[in-house]
Amino acid sequence: MPHYNLYDIRQKVKIAFLITALILVALFLYISDRLVKDLSLEERNKIEIWAEATRSVASSQTDIDMNLVLKILQSNTTIPIIITDSNDNILQTHNINIPERHGEQFLQRKLRSLKEKQQVIEIYIDPTTSQYLYFDESTLLKRHAYFPYIQLGVMLLFLAIAYFALMSSKKAEQNKVWVGLSKETAHQLGTPISSLMAWLDVLSMQEVDKEIVQDMGKDVERLSVIAERFSKIGSQPEREPVDVVETIEAAVDYMRHRISGKVQIAVHTPEKKIAPQPLCRPLIEWVFENLCKNAIDAMDGEGSIDINLSLNNTHYYIDVKDTGKGIARNRFKTIFHPGYTTKKRGWGLGLTLVKRIIEEYHGGTIYVKESELGRGTTFRIEMKLA
């Protein structure tokens, strides 16, 4: 049966929506562009009629309807026009606001601009005389040309606001689910843990091998630690000065007794001792257990994990390096998202919890420092020195 990754499915849905939106935007812009081109063609046809009317007035024809010609000439109230002779002397202008100062220079600049657009109609007055009509798009046509982009911008702004509002509410809802699930898990674990503790007292009074009872006691104590961790999710955990090295080694020691001998875990500490730092020890131990479990899964139960501590004047750094399968660069951030997993089992919440514990509860940072497919991955945790 194929394994479906919840995060990948969600990503595919997002991509499908994005592609659909881009197709709709492209279609919208195409239709608007066609409309503008049709309006531009319509305006050119009107100008050609206007040019013909101008030619009729300038010629010596007597068999024309002057009333109709004047109506045609007066009908243009929006399209800017400049008429010149064959020597580029300006003869007439229409629908151009000429400034009082430097009007001639303004018209020459406008004429050069219209020439560059190559929107010109030659008017034959007589066999030896021609005039040239240069025209620009009307204000209405320009508004139509810009309107689709303005409308698109407003639409994108609205979608962005709606998206961020939705994501904010969704994140708040997810946080409530996280907290509720964690608290309920801690509560449900409490009853059987109490019962097991009572049974341990009974067994210790019976003729039961003390070593077996001690091992069972360690497991029950471990369950208590797990319940305590879940109870702290959703509320600001109490932090107290703890030895960073000792905390990491305690988590690693716990993992060593529960993994194959084919996996070697080593902790490398700096020569300069790190002063006790304000941490929530149960949650920090959880972080390193999760990172070690992920590394072991990535190595298929065989390889090495190196945990290196270093520090400077302001921060201390913890690098967790494995010799596993590695992570593709485009997955460096998505591996921390809820539901992302490459395993057939699991909810894909381990690294999400790790990120939350480090960044939200301790004010640090965790990220993939480096990774190479087939060679391994290094996670880096950055924390401020107290």
Side-chain angles (χ1 to χ4, degrees):
M1 183 177 177
H3 171 63
Y4 294 98
N5 186 299
L6 178 63
Y7 180 77
D8 284 342
I9 292 172
R10 199 162 58 207
Q11 283 294 95
K12 287 177 181 177
V13 171
K14 285 182 180 178
I15 291 170
F17 273 117
L18 179 61
I19 291 172
T20 304
L22 289 175
I23 290 172
L24 290 174
V25 167
L27 183 63
F28 175 77
L29 291 177
Y30 173 76
I31 293 172
S32 299
D33 183 63
R34 291 301 307 169
L35 177 62
V36 169
K37 286 181 178 178
D38 290 343
L39 288 173
S40 179
L41 182 61
E42 186 68 23
E43 284 197 353
R44 182 176 181 87
N45 292 335
K46 288 181 178 178
I47 288 299
E48 286 178 350
I49 295 172
W50 198 91
E52 181 60 26
T54 302
R55 187 196 65 78
S56 300
V57 171
S59 67
S60 57
Q61 287 181 274
T62 57
D63 57 341
I64 59 172
D65 187 342
M66 288 301 298
N67 290 327
L68 177 60
V69 169
L70 290 174
K71 281 183 180 181
I72 292 172
L73 293 176
Q74 292 170 358
S75 65
N76 175 27
T77 58
T78 59
I79 302 173
I81 288 172
I82 294 178
I83 298 177
T84 69
D85 60 18
S86 55
N87 296 319
D88 284 345
N89 296 311
I90 297 175
L91 304 176
Q92 296 181 49
T93 62
H94 294 274
N95 302 318
I96 296 177
N97 293 321
I98 304 171
E100 293 182 3
R101 297 184 61 187
H102 310 295
E104 187 62 31
Q105 292 91 329
F106 171 82
L107 284 175
Q108 290 299 328
R109 287 196 302 271
K110 184 69 176 177
L111 178 60
R112 286 195 296 271
S113 172
L114 295 179
K115 279 187 173 184
E116 288 174 2
K117 293 182 179 180
Q118 295 182 345
Q119 296 190 147
V120 58
I121 297 173
E122 186 174 358
I123 304 173
Y124 296 99
I125 304 299
D126 56 49
T128 59
T129 309
S130 290
Q131 294 179 355
Y132 298 89
L133 186 154
Y134 297 93
F135 65 98
D136 199 1
E137 292 91 357
S138 67
T139 305
L140 183 62
L141 182 60
K142 288 179 179 178
R143 286 175 182 172
H144 274 292
Y146 293 130
F147 179 73
Y149 299 98
I150 296 171
Q151 193 174 17
L152 180 62
V154 172
M155 187 165 40
L156 290 175
L157 179 63
F158 173 78
L159 288 174
I161 293 171
Y163 175 78
F164 284 117
L166 179 63
M167 291 305 294
S168 298
S169 62
K170 187 177 178 181
K171 188 174 181 180
E173 187 177 344
Q174 286 176 343
N175 285 337
K176 288 181 181 178
V177 173
W178 274 92
V179 173
L181 181 62
S182 301
K183 300 289 185 186
E184 182 63 21
T185 302
H187 176 72
Q188 292 294 336
L189 285 171
T191 303
I193 289 172
S194 300
S195 178
L196 287 170
M197 286 180 174
W199 278 109
L200 282 173
D201 290 337
V202 172
L203 290 173
S204 63
M205 292 185 291
Q206 304 295 326
E207 293 182 2
V208 179
D209 190 329
K210 288 184 178 180
E211 191 173 334
I212 294 175
V213 175
Q214 286 177 352
D215 287 341
M216 290 178 65
K218 289 179 181 177
D219 288 333
V220 173
E221 185 180 346
R222 179 65 185 172
L223 285 173
S224 298
V225 171
I226 292 171
E228 183 186 1
R229 289 172 177 175
F230 277 109
S231 69
K232 293 180 184 298
I233 297 296
S235 56
Q236 194 63 35
E238 292 183 8
R239 294 187 291 171
E240 53 187 31
V242 297
D243 189 313
V244 178
V245 175
E246 184 185 328
T247 301
I248 295 172
E249 287 182 339
V252 169
D253 187 60
Y254 173 79
M255 293 299 300
R256 282 197 187 105
H257 290 83
R258 287 158 178 81
I259 60 176
S260 164
K262 295 179 180 180
V263 176
Q264 302 298 317
I265 306 178
V267 179
H268 308 279
T269 59
E271 293 182 4
K272 182 180 178 182
K273 185 176 175 61
I274 300 177
Q277 298 297 309
L279 303 171
C280 177
R281 180 162 178 163
L283 292 183
I284 291 296
E285 288 182 359
W286 200 1
V287 165
F288 289 100
E289 288 173 20
N290 265 311
L291 290 175
C292 287
K293 285 177 184 176
N294 277 347
I296 293 165
D297 289 335
M299 297 185 297
D300 292 328
E302 184 175 357
S304 62
I305 302 171
D306 288 293
I307 301 176
N308 295 281
L309 280 79
S310 59
L311 72 159
N312 56 26
N313 294 331
T314 58
H315 291 77
Y316 63 99
Y317 308 92
I318 307 167
D319 293 338
V320 181
K321 184 178 182 181
D322 64 56
T323 56
K325 299 173 184 176
I327 302 167
R329 181 166 291 277
N330 62 352
R331 296 291 192 185
F332 278 14
K333 292 184 178 180
T334 57
I335 58 171
F336 293 104
H337 293 177
Y340 178 84
T341 179
T342 58
K343 296 177 285 187
K344 293 183 179 179
R345 298 171 60 187
W347 288 69
L349 301 177
L351 286 175
T352 305
L353 278 170
V354 165
K355 188 175 180 68
R356 178 168 292 208
I357 290 168
I358 293 296
E359 298 190 354
E360 294 187 18
Y361 297 156
H362 289 87
T365 307
I366 183 169
Y367 56 90
V368 179
K369 181 184 176 184
E370 57 185 4
S371 186
E372 188 176 344
L373 293 176
R375 301 199 61 177
T377 300
T378 302
F379 286 91
R380 164 160 283 195
I381 296 171
E382 294 184 5
M383 303 279 272
K384 273 190 176 181
L385 283 168

